[in-house]
């Protein structure tokens, strides 16, 4: 039986639409799975959805929906999108699936029996968006989540804890013995630093809501959503229910994840596995974050690009090629539609498209069938040598997830193929009957280089690769077909259309409208000009916050007592979703001093503070260094 290879993506939260970021990890994992299948591995590729937790529950409540029905509907969008993107996952795990629920309960029980789970009291901060507990030392004054910058909630609950601290040493040991356990190396070093400072026990259950997996020995608790989610990697391959399958695929060969969830995968997950006595995954690869046109992907910015729109406009192969070629896997990268178009025109239409079209056209003009090589000549060895070198390096790069380099290598060969045409001048050979044999060899060699290119591209450019093979009437799909002069001759070929039509940049309507739309919005909302006198009518002053407390029954409003030097006053500010009252005390802020007093929820507000707003983000204005309260601003 062939060797097994098990590859996973994170399981995605269902409360936001899949975007080009989640598609990125899935496309990478799919390309690796397809490459491994081509290499003859018995490959298992897993993706899925992470459906429990407070954020999903709240989203369902907000939509006034039954939470399970809501989850079913949202999960389906992922299943459908991956189908549309041609993702070749072997299973799709949902954390609400029965087998997963049972596996999590079994896993938790085992850890409990081992003495690694104990009851305690949690008091600290929680980010509902990231479903992450944070300690005081992790977070700043503003009490914002270090990952997503949203306001944290204070939590006080009786929780079960996992003795993570106990695994600091064993984990350090594992990291030292397996230097490639976490990649890239700089991500590994980040984890080593955390380990060296010692791990603390973590809370692993919640009691304040029930949308989760009940803990078998204490049903008022549900398993913490991250604990639940991580176990997907074993539940989906039969943990606790199908030993044969489980033993075949576990340990995973690689978990592909984004850098923000590295700590969960490289520290917590391995410790959980150690606790139940299972081997650790062979590798965790934490890749970087994509921005879109230089900006963080976010719904409020309108740049959470729907991968479907991109694929409809450019085709799946072009988008995949661009992502794997332009973004150095491992590092952060920017998704730029302009660069995507440049790659399509330069690499796909010009280099690859022309090589295939020129070669096939010349064959069809001069021969009835794909010719046999008849007469060697100048430059043949160079093409042969480069083809063989490219294949060898391709394996090395793909095995190490260096997609950019693998594609660069293939494109060197493609470009040399075009150069080989210029050097051997087949159009001149075609004019002279005595050179027919040489012409046959040149065109055969070119076909052979193209066929090798198509096989190497097949895990990524699936459609294009199949199209090339069809045009050339060749069989493939097996790594054994890679190599010089393995092209079958004497077969009918088909020229057909160019593989990639060029995009006329001037006429083209882009998919990502974000930047233009934003500009329009700025123009529309820009206010009329004012004179210095207009501005002088405002009395702006520095005020020091003496006390701050939430306005009863309001999520948003905070009542502030201010020191203005000559007097004290009270204002009410709508900053409660972003700031914790206690974090505001002592700050020197800017207020409009001569604003008419108003009542907000029955409380007088005598002035207004200034704040910067960026979508959902809000930051209050302060002064750069200490000044006396009451100082005037001009
Ligand atoms: O974290 N650039 O789910 P999630 C690159 N449910 N990759 C991105 C990205 C971006 N801008 N945005 C998202 C969760 N991703 C948990 C995981 S696993 C046991 C539980 C990708 O829906 C990247 O892989 O927030 C990132 O780690 C993942 O989506 C986060 O997906």
């Amino acid at each position: 039986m062939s060797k097994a290879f098990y590859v996973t993506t994170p399981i995605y939260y269902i409360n936001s639409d899949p975007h080009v970021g989640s598609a990125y990890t899935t496309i990478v994992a799919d390309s690796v799975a397809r490459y491994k299948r081509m290499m003859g591995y018995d490959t298992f590729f897993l993706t899925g959805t992470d459906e429990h937790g407070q954020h999903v529950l709240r989203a369902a409540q907000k939509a006034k929906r039954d939470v399970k029905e809501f989850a079913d509907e949202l999960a389906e969008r992922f299943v459908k999108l991956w189908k549309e993107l041609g993702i070749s996952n072997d299973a799709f795990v949902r954390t609400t699936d029965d087998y997963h629920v049972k596996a999590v309960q079994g896993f938790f029980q085992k850890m409990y029996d081992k003495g690694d789970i104990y009851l305690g009291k949690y008091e600290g901060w929680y980010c509902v968006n990231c479903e992450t507990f944070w300690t005081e030392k992790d977070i700043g004054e503003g009490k914002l989540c270090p990952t997503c910058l949203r306001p944290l909630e204070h939590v006080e609950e009786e929780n079960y804890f996992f003795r993570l601290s106990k695994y600091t040493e064993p984990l350090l040991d594992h990291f030292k013995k397996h230097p490639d356990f976490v990649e890239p190396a700089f991500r590994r070093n980040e984890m080593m630093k955390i380990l060296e400072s010692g791990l603390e026990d973590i809370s692993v259950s919640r009691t304040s809501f029930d949308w989760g997996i009940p803990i078998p020995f204490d049903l008022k608790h549900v398993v913490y959503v991250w604990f639940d989610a991580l176990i997907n990697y074993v539940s989906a391959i039969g943990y606790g229910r199908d030993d044969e399958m489980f033993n075949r695929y576990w340990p995973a060969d690689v978990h592909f994840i984004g850098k923000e969830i590295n700590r969960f995968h490289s520290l917590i997950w391995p410790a959980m596995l150690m606790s139940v006595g299972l081997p650790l995954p062979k590798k965790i690869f934490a890749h970087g974050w994509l921005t879109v046109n230089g900006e963080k992907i976010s719904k409020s910015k309108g740049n959470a690009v729907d991968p479907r729109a991109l694929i409809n406009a450019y085709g799946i192969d072009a988008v995949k090629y661009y992502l794997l070629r332009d973004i150095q896997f491992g590092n952060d990268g920017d998704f730029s539609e302009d660069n995507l178009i440049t790659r399509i025109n330069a690499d796909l239409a010009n280099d690859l498209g022309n090589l295939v079209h020129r070669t096939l056209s010349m064959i069809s003009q001069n021969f009835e069938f794909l010719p046999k090589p008849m007469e060697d000549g100048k430059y043949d060895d160079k093409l042969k040598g480069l083809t063989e070198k490219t294949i060898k390096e391709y394996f090395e790069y793909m095995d190490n997830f260096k997609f950019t380099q693998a594609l660069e290598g293939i494109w060197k060969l493609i470009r040399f193929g075009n150069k080989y045409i210029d050097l051997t001048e087949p159009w001149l050979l075609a004019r002279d009957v005595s050179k027919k044999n040489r012409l046959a060899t040149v065109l055969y060699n070119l076909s052979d280089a193209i066929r090798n290119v198509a096989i190497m591209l097949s895990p990524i450019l699936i459609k294009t690769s199949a199209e090339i093979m069809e045009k050339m009437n060749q069989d493939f799909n097996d790594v054994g077909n890679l190599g010089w002069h393995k092209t079958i001759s004497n077969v009918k070929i088909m020229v057909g259309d160019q593989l990639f039509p060029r995009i006329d940049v001037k006429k083209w309507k882009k998919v990502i409208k974000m930047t233009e739309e934003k500009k329009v919005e700025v123009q529309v909302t820009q206010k009329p000009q004012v004179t210095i006198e207009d501005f002088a009518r405002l009395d702006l002053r520095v005020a020091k916050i003496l006390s701050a407390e939430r306005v009863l029954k309001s999520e948003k409003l905070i009542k502030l007592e201010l020191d203005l030097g000559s007097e004290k006053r009270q204002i009410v500010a709508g900053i409660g979703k972003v700031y914790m009252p206690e974090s505001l005390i002592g700050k020197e802020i800017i207020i409009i001093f001569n604003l008419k007093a108003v009542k907000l929820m029955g409380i007088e507000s005598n002035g207004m503070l200034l704040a910067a707003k960026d979508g959902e983000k809000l930051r209050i204005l302060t002064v750069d260094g200490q000044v006396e309260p009451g100082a005037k601003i001009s």
Side-chain angles (χ1 to χ4, degrees):
M1 206 173 185
S2 57
K3 245 183 102 181
F5 188 87
Y6 178 29
V7 48
T8 68
T9 72
I11 50 171
Y12 302 104
Y13 289 136
I14 50 174
N15 62 326
S16 57
D17 285 316
H19 53 70
V20 68
S22 30
Y24 178 58
T25 320
T26 314
I27 284 171
V28 165
D30 181 63
S31 304
V32 170
R34 287 175 185 272
Y35 167 72
K36 286 290 170 183
R37 286 189 200 112
M38 177 174 96
M39 299 299 284
Y41 284 81
D42 165 18
T43 305
F44 196 91
F45 168 26
L46 178 69
T47 188
T49 42
D50 186 356
E51 303 183 12
H52 290 126
Q54 229 169 340
H55 65 294
V56 173
L57 178 65
R58 284 190 189 169
Q61 284 166 342
K62 204 168 153 199
K64 299 200 167 49
R65 299 283 309 276
D66 169 75
V67 60
K68 177 65 170 79
E69 262 177 45
F70 185 66
D72 287 347
E73 218 173 276
L74 297 178
E76 189 54 30
R77 288 181 318 174
F78 282 84
V79 175
K80 263 175 91 177
L81 176 69
W82 302 149
K83 271 208 188 110
E84 284 169 44
L85 299 199
I87 300 299
S88 64
N89 52 304
D90 296 287
F92 188 96
V93 55
R94 297 182 54 188
T95 53
T96 48
D97 285 338
D98 281 349
Y99 68 83
H100 174 77
V101 171
K102 286 196 187 93
V104 169
Q105 289 178 326
F107 202 105
F108 206 89
Q109 182 75 51
K110 256 200 164 152
M111 294 176 71
Y112 182 72
D113 296 343
K114 173 97 181 273
D116 280 350
I117 299 284
Y118 63 91
L119 196 59
K121 191 163 173 240
Y122 180 79
E123 196 191 334
W125 300 90
Y126 194 77
C127 174
V128 175
N129 179 59
C130 301
E131 299 283 3
T132 304
F133 292 99
W134 294 103
T135 61
E136 287 286 344
K137 81 169 196 273
D138 297 320
I139 59 179
E141 258 192 11
K143 311 292 183 220
L144 299 179
C145 170
T147 307
C148 71
L149 301 179
R150 288 183 173 83
L152 296 168
E153 295 183 12
H154 193 258
V155 176
E156 250 187 271
E157 271 179 29
E158 185 192 65
N159 285 173
Y160 281 97
F161 282 74
F162 170 40
R163 286 187 210 285
L164 184 61
S165 56
K166 176 176 147 186
Y167 291 95
T168 304
E169 282 307 315
L171 281 170
L172 264 174
D173 196 46
H174 188 83
F175 269 70
K176 282 180 190 152
K177 283 199 186 122
H178 302 88
D180 301 333
F181 179 50
V182 177
E183 283 194 52
F186 62 96
R187 297 273 166 238
R188 169 185 189 266
N189 296 344
E190 285 171 6
M191 294 300 112
M192 281 294 278
K193 277 215 181 80
I194 301 180
L195 278 174
E196 277 155 7
S197 67
L199 298 176
E200 286 173 24
D201 293 354
I202 55 165
S203 167
V204 291
S205 75
R206 302 291 310 271
T207 46
S208 53
F209 62 95
D210 63 2
W211 177 237
I213 299 180
I215 290 184
F217 48 84
D218 192 345
L219 295 172
K220 47 179 203 301
H221 289 254
V222 291
V223 175
Y224 169 42
V225 62
W226 262 101
F227 235 55
D228 163 353
L230 288 161
I231 294 170
N232 91 83
Y233 298 129
V234 292
S235 74
I237 51 161
Y239 172 74
R241 70 172 197 287
D242 182 345
D243 288 349
E244 196 186 322
M245 181 177 181
F246 183 70
N247 293 331
R248 173 123 192 90
Y249 294 111
W250 193 257
D253 290 84
V254 57
H255 291 317
F256 286 117
I257 56 164
K259 64 180 180 182
E260 82 290 0
I261 55 176
N262 195 13
R263 197 169 53 101
F264 291 102
H265 285 81
S266 298
L267 304 177
I268 299 177
W269 176 227
M272 289 163 67
L273 290 163
M274 283 177 176
S275 172
V276 299
L278 285 176
L280 307 195
K282 291 182 204 149
K283 188 181 299 302
I284 288 123
F285 197 109
H287 65 69
W289 269 358
L290 289 188
T291 48
V292 169
N293 289 343
E295 293 193 29
K296 201 176 156 202
I297 299 176
S298 100
K299 251 193 176 167
S300 57
K301 282 208 184 94
N303 67 349
V305 187
D306 180 354
R308 274 186 207 98
L310 285 172
I311 280 149
N312 289 340
Y314 299 104
I316 173 86
D317 280 10
V319 174
K320 282 166 87 176
Y321 173 73
Y322 166 74
L323 284 172
L324 294 188
R325 170 76 199 253
D326 257 35
I327 318 280
Q328 284 272 356
F329 189 58
N331 296 346
D332 290 339
D334 186 43
F335 187 98
S336 138
E337 202 169 355
D338 288 337
N339 293 349
L340 165 64
I341 294 171
T342 306
R343 284 281 176 213
I344 293 175
N345 284 345
D347 298 11
L348 298 175
N350 200 41
D351 296 341
L352 176 61
N354 278 348
L355 176 65
V356 174
H357 203 72
R358 287 167 93 188
T359 304
L360 294 182
S361 302
M362 288 188 286
I363 295 178
S364 90
Q365 283 156 17
N366 295 288
F367 297 92
E368 203 178 332
F369 299 105
L370 201 156
K372 266 199 180 101
M374 307 290 285
E375 183 189 321
D376 292 347
K378 221 173 154 191
Y379 309 114
D380 293 1
D381 278 350
K382 204 152 176 216
L383 187 60
K384 175 177 188 256
L386 190 61
T387 305
E388 283 168 349
K389 179 171 172 264
T390 308
I391 296 170
K392 190 169 156 267
E393 288 176 355
Y394 167 79
F395 294 139
E396 269 167 44
Y397 290 137
M398 289 299 283
D399 285 340
N400 291 298
F401 315 132
K402 293 191 188 305
F403 311 111
T404 301
Q405 290 84 337
L407 291 170
E408 266 167 12
I410 297 172
W411 252 259
K412 267 191 202 144
L413 177 59
I414 293 172
R415 290 201 191 103
F416 185 72
N418 278 315
K419 198 164 166 206
Y420 178 84
I421 299 181
D422 300 341
L423 293 168
T424 52
E425 301 177 310
W427 54 91
L428 294 184
L429 301 175
R431 280 194 217 149
D432 187 341
V433 194
S434 72
K435 294 189 174 147
K436 189 104 185 177
N437 282 351
R438 179 63 190 139
L439 178 64
T441 308
V442 165
L443 295 179
Y444 179 86
N445 285 346
L446 281 165
S447 307
D448 200 47
I450 293 172
R451 189 189 55 89
N452 277 296
V453 162
I455 298 177
M456 287 188 277
L457 289 179
S458 65
I460 303 167
L461 305 190
I462 302 156
K463 208 171 138 253
T464 310
S465 165
E467 228 175 296
I468 297 175
M469 291 312 234
E470 206 184 312
K471 280 173 186 277
M472 292 182 22
N473 210 347
Q474 303 289 309
D475 273 340
F476 80 113
N477 257 339
D478 182 346
V479 65
N481 292 334
L482 273 175
W484 188 243
H485 277 201
K486 290 190 177 179
T487 298
I488 303 160
S489 50
N490 279 333
V491 293
K492 195 111 193 97
I493 59 120
M494 195 172 60
V495 182
D497 294 336
Q498 281 272 4
L499 291 174
F500 291 93
R502 275 185 73 83
I503 292 177
D504 181 345
V505 186
K506 283 201 197 108
K507 291 193 195 141
W508 188 251
K509 263 196 158 162
K510 287 200 223 152
V511 174
I512 308 172
K513 302 278 174 349
M514 159 184 95
T515 334
E516 287 93 57
E517 267 166 19
K518 248 189 157 179
K519 270 192 209 135
V520 174
E521 195 183 278
V522 172
Q523 280 163 9
V524 173
T525 57
Q526 208 170 32
K527 294 176 185 167
Q529 281 194 336
V530 294
T531 61
I532 190 81
E533 288 78 25
D534 291 332
F535 176 70
R537 291 175 60 209
L538 288 179
D539 187 351
L540 299 178
R541 299 208 190 168
V542 174
K544 186 169 179 171
I545 301 177
L546 298 173
S547 71
E549 62 182 83
R550 284 194 186 278
V551 170
L552 223 66
K553 293 196 190 140
S554 169
E555 254 193 310
K556 220 171 142 190
L557 297 180
I558 291 186
K559 187 172 87 181
L560 303 167
E561 288 301 327
L562 304 178
D563 177 5
L564 281 137
S566 56
E567 62 174 277
K568 299 214 172 18
R569 12 168 117 169
Q570 167 181 303
I571 66 167
V572 177
I575 54 175
K577 278 194 172 168
V578 182
Y579 286 92
M580 300 301 296
E582 53 269 39
S583 71
L584 294 165
I585 296 165
K587 274 194 198 301
E588 288 199 318
I589 59 170
I590 316 294
I591 69 158
I592 308 179
F593 186 73
N594 60 340
L595 193 74
K596 264 194 188 157
V598 288
K599 278 200 170 164
L600 295 171
M601 289 189 77
I603 303 170
E604 186 166 283
S605 180
N606 204 352
M608 184 178 101
L609 64 69
L610 301 187
K613 233 181 146 189
D614 170 18
E616 284 167 25
K617 244 201 249 168
L618 181 142
R619 309 303 299 158
I620 52 179
L621 264 56
T622 58
V623 282
D624 176 23
Q626 213 189 347
V627 293
E628 283 306 305
K632 289 199 169 180
I633 291 163
S634 54

